[in-house]
Amino acid sequence: MAPVDPHSYTDGAHPVVSRAALAFYLDFAASTIHASALLTLSAPHSGDLLLDTRALTVHSASTDADTPEPIPFSLAAAPDPVLGTALTLTLPPDTTSFRLTFSTSPAASALQWLAPPQTASGQPFVFSQCQSIHARSIFPCHDTPAARITFSLLLNVPEQLSAVASARHVARRDPLPSDHRGACDDELWCAPGRIVEEFQMEQSVPPYLFAFAAGGIGSRDLGPRTRVYAEGGDKVLDEAAREFAGVEEMVKVGEGLFGPYEWERFDLLVLPPSFPYGGMENPRMVFLTPTVIKGDAAGAQVVAHELAHSWTGNLITNKTNEDFWLNEGFTTYAERRIVEVVQGEERAALNMGIGWRGLNRMMERFKDNMEFTKLKPNMAGIDPDDVYSEVPYEKGFQFLWRIEREIGRPAFDEFLKKYIATFKFQSIDTETFLEFLKTNVPGIENQIDLNLWVEGTGIPPDAMEPDSATYKKICSLAAEFKSGKLPSEDEVANWSGQEWELYLENLPTDVEASQVTALDERYKLSESRDYEVKVAFLQLAIPTGCKCYFNEVEKCLKQVGRMKYLRPLYSSLAKCSSEEKMLAQRIFSEAQEFYHPIARSVAESILSKHS
C-alpha cells in the first residue's frame, strides 16, 4: 500500500473517487441518514479498493449497470481510533463506477442532530461539519484533501423544513422513486409530507468541504450574489443582515487582491449556538457561529477569513493535514489584507496583534511537544482535532508576511495572484509551494531560512510583532494593570470588542482576585455580549479563585458550543483545585448533549488529561 495521507486509508497506487452522486433520506426521529452513493473513479480499476468510513453501516455494494451485480466488500474488524474503519471493495475488471447503500450512526462524528426543544424555530435541525476527517462518517469516500470530488446531492426531508448545501441549489421538488437508488424503499422515500432538495457541485472540492444543513431555515438577500440564512426567525435574520451588510463589498475587494471569485455565490448560514467553530469555509455556503453577530459589524472579520478561503483553501487546498498552514496561514494573511482595505490599517494591525498573542500562547500550550509548533508537523497517528491550534494560522501568516517584507508588497501581490492561478482546483503540499516560491522569487532561500520556518520549532527570530499606535497603546495599558492601574473611561471610550480582547490577552496571568473584580465592576466584562471579551475575561478570572464568576462560566459553557471558548474555559477549570475540577465535570455532564460530537470529544480529552 502507498498511503497518500497519514489520516486516510487511500492507496496512492489506485485511482480515487472523483465524483459522488448522493441520495440521503434524513430520519430525524432516529438521528440517522439512510443513503446511497454512486461513486465514479478517476480511472478504471480492478481488484481491491479501499475507502474511508467511520461508524457507517454498509448494506450493499454493486456494479453500476442496468442489471447490477453484487461487489464483494468487507469492513475492518476493529476501527482505528483516528482513521475509523477501512472499507475494502473487490471490484470487477475495469470498473469505473459502483453503487453503495449505507446508513450513518446516530453518533456520526460529522453530524449534529438537534431536537425541536434545542432550536429557536421549534423545528428539528441537522448540520454537518466534515473538517478535518469527518466526511467518512457521512459517506464512504477517500477522505483526504488530496482526492478532490464533484458531487450531486438529494436531501429528502420533511416538507416543513428547508435545506442548504455547499453546492448550487437546483430544485425543491416532490420525491421520485428513481431518486434514491436503494437508499431506502420507495414507500419511505415518497411518503406524504416529504420533499427533496436537489444540489449540484460541478467544481472539484476536497471531501471536508462537503456540507449541508436542514431545518427551519429562513433567508435575507444581502447583495446580487450574497444572502444570509439562519435558523431562528426574523430577529436573528435581521441582526445577521445588519452585521454582514458589507459582504458584497468584501467579495469585490477579494477579487481585486486575489483574482476572480470562482464560486458564483457567497452565501452565509448562521447555525445554532452549538456549531463548534467560528466559521467553516464551505464553498457557496459558509457556516457561521451566531457568536459572530455582535451588533457592531466586527463579526464581518470572521466572514473575511471564510471569504479569503474561497481562494486559499478552497481553490488551492493543502494536500494533507500536515500541510494545513497552506490553507490557514495564507487565509489569515488574505483576511487581513481584506480587512485592511475595508476597515483600515489600524483594525488589521489589531487583528495581527491578537494573532501574535495567540501564537505565543500556543508555544506555552505545546511546550512539552514542540513538534506541533512546526508549520509542517509529523501527524502520523495524531487526530487533527486534538492538536488544532493557532500555529498554522499565525505562524503561517508570519511566514508569508516575512516574505512580503523581503520582496515588497507589489512583488508579493503578483506572486500571490500567480500562485492562485497556477494551482487552482489542485491540492498541493508544502514542498510544492516552496519550489514554486524559489522558482518565482529567485534567491529567496538566501534571504530567508525557509527550512527553519517550515521544519523548525517555535517562533523564528525574524518573525515580527505588529507595530501600530493603537496596538502599542493597548499593550502599554495592559502592562500598567500589574501595578493596579485600570484604564480610564476616556482611554477605552472608543474601544470595541477587539480592543478589549487584545487588552485582556496582554494582562499578566498572575493577577489578584481584587484586581479582576475591580476591572469587572468598572467595565462589566463578564457580562459582555461579545464572547471573545467575555471568555478572555473569565479565563483571567478562573485561576484567581473568583467564585463569583462561576455562574457566568457555567452559562457560557452551556450556551455556546464553539471550541474556541470551550477549550480555554474547561482547561482553566481543570487546572485549578478539586472544586473547579468537579465544577468542570458537572457542567460537562449536563452540557455534553448540547455540543457537536467534535467539540464533545475535545472537552472530554481536556477533562481526562487533567483528571
Side-chain angles (χ1 to χ4, degrees), residues 3 13 21 26 34 209 260 267-268 363 400 426 446 468 477 485 494 518 521 538 543 571 585 599 601:
L26 273 55
H34 304 295
L209 289 179
D267 293 332
L268 313 168
M363 297 305 115
L400 298 174
Q426 297 180 47
N446 300 321
S468 83
L477 289 172
K485 183 180 183 301
N494 297 317
E521 283 169 5
L538 294 176
S571 295
Q585 292 285 0
S601 175

Side-chain angles (χ1 to χ4, degrees), residues 471-481:
Y471 176 75
K472 285 180 176 176
K473 177 63 176 174
I474 292 171
C475 291
S476 173
L477 289 172
E480 293 173 351
F481 184 82

Side-chain angles (χ1 to χ4, degrees), residues 202-213:
E202 290 95 354
Q203 295 153 307
S204 66
V205 295
Y208 72 79
L209 289 179
F210 172 83
F212 70 90

